[in-house]
Amino acid sequence: MPRHYRLAAQTVAVLMAIVAIALVPGVIELFALMQLTLFAAMAVLALSLAFIWGFGGILSFGQTAFFGLGGYAYAVAAINFQDSTPAILLAIVIPALFAAILGYFIFFGRISDVYLGVITLTVTLILFNSVNSTSGDAYKIGTALLGGFNGMPSVPTFNMPFDPSTVLSPEQSWWTTAGVLLAVFLMLRLLLALPAGRIIVAVRENEVRASLLGYDPRLVKCLTFILGGAIAGLAGALYVNWGAFVSPTIFSLSLSAEIIIWITVGGLGTLLGPIIGCVVIEYIVAYIGSQQLLNANLVLGAVLVIFVLLLPKGLVPTARDLVMRLIPDSKPKTNGPSVQSAAAPHAAGAE
Amino acid sequence: MAIYVILALDVLNGISSLFLLCLGLAIIFGMMKIINLAHGEFIMLGAYATVISANAGVNIWIAMLVVAPVFVGIVGLVIERCLIRFLYGRLVDSMLATWGLSLLIIGIITTIYGNTQQGVPTPLGGFSIGSYQSSYYTLFLALMAAVMMAIVYGVMRFTRFGLVARATMQNPAMAATLGVNPARVYMSTFALGAAVTGLAGGLLAPVSGITPGMGGAYVAKAFMTVVGGGAAILSGTMSAASLFGSVNQVAAYFTTPVYGEVIVFTTAIVLIRLLPQGISGRFFKGNL
C-alpha cells in the first residue's frame, strides 16, 4: 500500500507544479516573470550537474563549457536559420557530441578525481579564451558574427515550432522554460528509477564492484557525462532565449562555481535540492546586486564555506532527515526512490 | 639574432614566474593532498600587501620580500586553524571550501579597497639588446626562482623540520607513533606554503595588474602545473613549470598571447592524459 500512496503523492505534486507553472504569469508582474524564467533556465543547468555529480559521482568544474556551447550553438544556428526549432536541437546535439569526445578522453583514459577537475576547468578556460578572441569580421559562421568579448546581440528568441513568424511572448517563454525544467526533472527521476539509473548509482558507489557485476564503469560514466552535457546545452539555449544575447562570460569560472554552490546548498544526491539551491542563491545574488552594502562574492563565499563545514548534506536532505525523525513511522512515504537516500555521496568520488 | 635572445629571456621569465606561482600550491598539495583553490587569492593578498605597504612608504624590497610573505603566512595560519584542519582527507570538500574561501577573500578585498588599486613601478630599470628592450626585473625573477628552489630543497633535505615533514607526508600514522604531531606539521606546512605564495604575489605585483579578481588568472595555471608535475614538490613543479612556461611563451611568440594560453592548456590536458601521475610520477619517482 505505501507504494500506492507514494505514487499518488508524487502525481499530485507534479500536477500541482503544472498548475503553478500555468497560473504564475497571471499573478505576478512581467519583471518578476522574466526573473523566474531566468531562474528556471539556470535550474535546468543545476539539474545537469546535480545528475552527473550527485548520481554519477563526476565532479565537473566546467559544466559551463556545455552550457556555453549550447548557448553559442543556439545563437549561431538561430541567426543563420531564422528559426529556433533546429537551433534548439543543435544546442542539445553539439554539447552532447563535445561531451562524448571529452568523456571518451577522460573516462577511457581512467583519469579521475583531481585530474578530472583540472581537465574540465582547463577546457572551460580554453573555450573562454578562444571565443573571447573571435572579435572582428573574420570570425563568422554563416551569417552569424561571433563578436569576441562583445558577444552576439539580438539573437532570435524561441518561436512556435517550424513557424518562425510567430515569436513566443514572455508568458509563452516562461511556460516553455518552466515546462522544460519540469520535463527534465521528471525524465531524470524516471531514469534513476529504471535499471539504467541504478547502474549509474552503482558505479558511483563502487566502480570495482560494478565492473565485477559485468558493467563497464567507463562507458556508464561516459554516457552519464554525455547526458549531463546535453542537458546543460539545452539550458544554454533557454538562457540565450531569455536574454536574446550571448557573450563569453557564459563560460566563466564564476558561473561554474555558482552551479557547485547551488548543489552544495540544495543537497548533493537529490534532484529537488539543486533546483531550490539555484533559485535561492540566484535570488540572493539578484537582491545583492540591487544594493551597495554587501558584495555578492563575499556572501556566496561565506555561504559555501558555512555549508561545507556545518551543513555538508545541504538543505533538502537535512530537512528530509528532520521530517523523518519527527514522524518515525513514515519512512518510505516521504522518501523518493531508494536511490535518492544513498548515503555519503562524496565517498565514491573521493576514494 | 637579438630577437632570439629576447625570446629566450621571455621563456626564462615565463618559467620562473610560473615556478614561483606554483611552488606554494605544490608544497600544500604535495604534503597534504589538499587542493587549495584559494591559491590565486593568496597571490592577490601578497600583491596587495606589497602595493599597499610600498605606497605607504615602506621600501619596495622590504614590502616584496618581507611584508608579503609574512602577512600571507599569517593569513594562511589562521585559515588552516579555522577551516582547513576540518577537511583533511576530504579532497572534494576541501576543494569546495577553498573555492568558497577564494570568493570570500575577493569579496572582502573588494569591499575594503574597491575594484582597482594603484600599482607600484617596476624597480631596477631596463637594458637593451640590439633594438629590443628588456628589464633587469626579469632576471631578478629568475634569480628569485632559483633561490626559492635552493631554500626549499635545503630545508626539506637537510633540516630536522624537513625530515619530519617528509616523514609525515609519507606515513602520518607512523610519524605520529614516533612522537611527531601531524596536526602541527600540517599547520606549519600550510602556513609555509601560504607564505611562499605571498612572496610570489609580492614579486609579481610590479609586473601585473592589481585587482581583487587577479587571482583567477593564476589559479587554473598553477593548479594545472602542480597536477601535471605530480607529487614531487620540487622536481615535479620545476619540470612542469619549464614545460608549460616555454610552451606558453614560444606559442605566444608565434601566434597571439591568447592562442598561447589555449595551446598551453591543450598541452596540459594531453600531458595529464599521457601521464596520469604527473611528470614526476613517471620520471623522478621518490625524488623531492
Side-chain angles (χ1 to χ4, degrees):
Chain A
M1 280 310 277
R3 200 180 157 74
H4 290 105
Y5 282 133
R6 200 164 73 208
L7 207 61
Q10 283 170 348
T11 316
V12 169
V14 170
L15 286 176
M16 272 164 62
I18 291 172
V19 170
I21 289 170
L23 293 184
V24 156
V27 186
I28 59 176
E29 287 173 37
L30 188 60
F31 175 76
L33 186 69
M34 291 299 281
Q35 216 173 14
L36 276 185
T37 312
L38 173 65
F39 293 168
M42 290 301 195
V44 177
L45 178 61
L47 275 182
S48 79
L49 188 66
F51 174 64
I52 66 164
W53 183 22
F55 296 93
I58 306 162
L59 174 52
S60 161
F61 275 99
Q63 200 63 11
T64 46
F66 309 113
F67 182 63
L69 269 181
Y72 266 94
Y74 171 76
V76 169
I79 289 175
N80 276 311
F81 301 142
Q82 291 296 327
D83 177 5
S84 69
T85 322
I88 297 172
L89 281 180
L90 277 177
I92 298 172
V93 170
I94 290 179
L97 281 178
F98 186 69
I101 297 168
L102 193 63
Y104 178 78
F105 186 85
I106 294 175
F107 299 115
F108 284 79
R110 293 208 179 270
I111 292 168
S112 59
D113 285 1
V114 196
Y115 302 91
L116 182 90
V118 181
I119 289 183
T120 46
L121 195 77
T122 40
V123 163
T124 314
L125 281 170
I126 290 175
L127 287 171
F128 178 76
N129 279 329
S130 314
V131 176
N132 226 350
S133 65
T134 56
S135 45
D137 293 337
Y139 297 98
K140 58 160 110 182
I141 300 174
T143 51
L145 278 176
L146 287 180
F149 54 82
N150 291 319
M152 301 169 70
S154 51
V155 178
T157 53
F158 287 2
N159 50 256
M160 289 292 178
F162 305 108
D163 179 15
S165 54
T166 322
V167 176
L168 295 190
S169 66
E171 285 83 9
Q172 288 165 325
S173 252
W174 154 253
W175 286 324
T176 314
T177 312
V180 167
L181 175 62
L182 189 64
V184 169
F185 177 79
L186 290 177
M187 183 199 77
L188 289 177
R189 271 309 267 277
L190 187 68
L191 173 66
L192 289 168
L194 292 175
R198 311 258 165 164
I199 296 168
I200 291 172
V201 176
V203 168
R204 176 197 74 187
E205 288 295 313
N206 194 329
E207 273 189 43
V208 177
R209 202 174 289 175
S211 60
L212 288 175
L213 289 171
Y215 304 108
D216 185 353
R218 300 173 299 176
L219 186 67
V220 172
K221 281 182 139 182
C222 195
L223 291 175
T224 313
F225 196 61
I226 293 171
L227 184 57
I231 297 172
L234 178 61
L238 294 171
Y239 174 77
V240 174
N241 171 56
W242 169 77
F245 172 72
V246 58
S247 78
T249 49
I250 197 172
F251 291 113
S252 70
L253 285 183
S254 55
L255 184 60
S256 283
E258 254 171 64
I259 312 172
I260 292 173
I261 298 174
W262 301 336
I263 295 175
T264 313
V265 168
L268 183 65
T270 66
L271 289 177
L272 192 60
I275 297 178
I276 293 173
C278 167
V279 173
V280 169
I281 296 285
E282 285 302 286
Y283 180 78
I284 293 175
V285 168
Y287 175 75
I288 291 169
S290 65
Q291 51 86 49
Q292 295 290 317
L293 189 65
L294 282 169
N295 178 295
N297 277 327
L298 196 130
V299 177
L300 283 183
V303 165
L304 183 54
V305 170
I306 290 168
F307 267 85
V308 172
L309 276 185
L310 302 179
L311 209 62
K313 278 201 218 154
L315 288 176
V316 168
T318 309
R320 192 172 58 202
D321 290 354
L322 262 176
V323 170
M324 293 213 309
R325 198 174 301 165
L326 290 178
I327 319 167
D329 294 331
S330 68
K331 227 172 189 175
K333 203 169 139 194
T334 46
N335 206 346
S338 59
V339 284
Q340 280 248 299
S341 60
H346 285 275
E351 262 161 19
Chain B
M1 187 58 221
I3 184 92
Y4 290 109
V5 177
I6 290 292
L7 182 61
L9 274 177
D10 271 353
V11 169
L12 183 69
N13 185 25
I15 295 173
S16 44
S17 31
L18 196 55
F19 177 75
L20 285 171
L21 283 174
C22 299
L23 189 57
L25 188 68
I27 291 174
I28 293 170
F29 177 62
M31 298 285 299
M32 305 183 276
K33 296 287 169 283
I34 288 266
I35 287 279
N36 176 21
L37 287 178
H39 181 71
E41 281 56 50
F42 284 8
I43 293 172
M44 183 266 286
L45 286 179
Y48 263 79
T50 303
V51 167
I52 286 165
S53 52
N55 287 345
V58 179
N59 181 303
I60 176 79
W61 298 104
I62 293 177
M64 255 183 332
L65 301 175
V66 179
V67 175
V70 169
F71 173 69
V72 181
I74 292 170
V75 170
L77 191 67
V78 172
I79 287 171
E80 203 276 343
R81 283 291 92 185
C82 300
L83 181 66
I84 308 290
R85 71 183 170 123
F86 303 110
L87 302 171
Y88 289 122
R90 289 158 62 189
L91 184 72
V92 174
D93 282 352
S94 70
M95 280 162 109
L96 292 179
T98 49
W99 197 332
L101 183 69
S102 87
L103 293 175
L104 189 67
I105 296 176
I106 293 175
I108 292 173
I109 294 294
T110 314
T111 310
I112 300 177
Y113 294 107
N115 276 321
T116 53
Q117 174 67 35
Q118 198 193 345
V120 284
T122 310
L124 288 178
F127 59 93
S128 52
I129 301 170
S131 53
Y132 300 99
Q133 281 283 329
S134 188
S135 84
Y136 284 113
Y137 199 73
T138 311
L139 299 176
F140 174 71
L141 279 183
L143 178 74
M144 280 309 295
V147 169
M148 286 309 296
M149 194 153 61
I151 291 177
V152 171
Y153 183 78
V155 168
M156 297 303 269
R157 191 77 183 74
F158 298 116
T159 65
R160 186 175 162 73
F161 172 79
L163 186 69
V164 168
R166 279 184 297 146
T168 315
M169 177 162 84
Q170 278 185 3
N171 192 335
M174 184 70 82
T177 323
L178 293 173
V180 175
N181 183 356
R184 215 189 173 85
V185 176
Y186 288 151
M187 182 181 82
S188 38
T189 316
F190 193 87
L192 186 74
V196 170
T197 309
L199 179 69
L203 287 171
L204 292 173
V207 287
S208 54
I210 315 281
T211 63
M214 67 186 273
Y218 298 123
V219 69
K221 265 191 197 167
F223 193 21
M224 152 193 116
T225 309
V226 169
V227 171
I233 295 174
L234 274 182
S235 55
T237 312
M238 193 59 220
S239 47
S242 309
L243 177 67
F244 294 147
S246 28
V247 166
N248 193 0
Q249 297 293 340
V250 173
Y253 173 75
F254 286 109
T255 58
T256 65
V258 175
Y259 287 115
E261 299 243 300
V262 171
I263 290 169
V264 81
F265 287 139
T266 317
T267 315
I269 293 178
V270 172
L271 179 82
I272 291 171
R273 175 68 176 78
L274 294 179
L275 304 174
Q277 296 301 311
I279 298 176
S280 65
R282 182 68 172 268
F283 297 113
F284 307 102
K285 249 188 176 137
N287 274 25
L288 196 59

